[in-house]
Amino acid sequence: MIGFWIFMFFMVALLPASMLALGKYFKQNAPKDINGVFGYRSVRSMQNQDTWQFAHEHFGQTWFVV
């Protein structure tokens, strides 16, 4: 019974932990090149390199704070 609750605790903590980790990663180490595989991909963020960098810095900050 207690094993179930320990498992549930880790599953519930997984999402906030991944948001913190990815937020910090994207804020500091945004992907250098625009790509369709990894990163914050939207039509507007993929327009040019400046919007790509800004989108990742903003996305990282937002996820880290949230």
Side-chain angles (χ1 to χ4, degrees):
M1 182 73 166
I2 192 75
F4 171 76
W5 291 110
I6 292 172
F7 173 76
M8 290 304 292
F9 172 76
F10 284 112
M11 290 298 108
V12 169
L14 189 62
L15 182 62
S18 65
M19 287 179 73
L20 278 171
L22 284 173
K24 187 170 179 86
Y25 177 79
F26 279 130
K27 186 178 171 190
Q28 295 176 349
N29 303 318
K32 302 296 180 218
D33 299 323
I34 299 172
N35 62 64
V37 179
F38 182 69
Y40 176 70
R41 299 174 314 273
S42 68
V43 174
R44 182 164 281 177
S45 71
M46 296 175 74
Q47 283 180 348
N48 59 42
Q49 192 64 33
D50 290 334
T51 57
W52 180 256
Q53 288 301 117
F54 175 79
H56 280 83
E57 289 172 11
H58 185 70
F59 169 76
Q61 179 66 32
T62 301
W63 265 35
F64 191 75
V65 170
V66 169

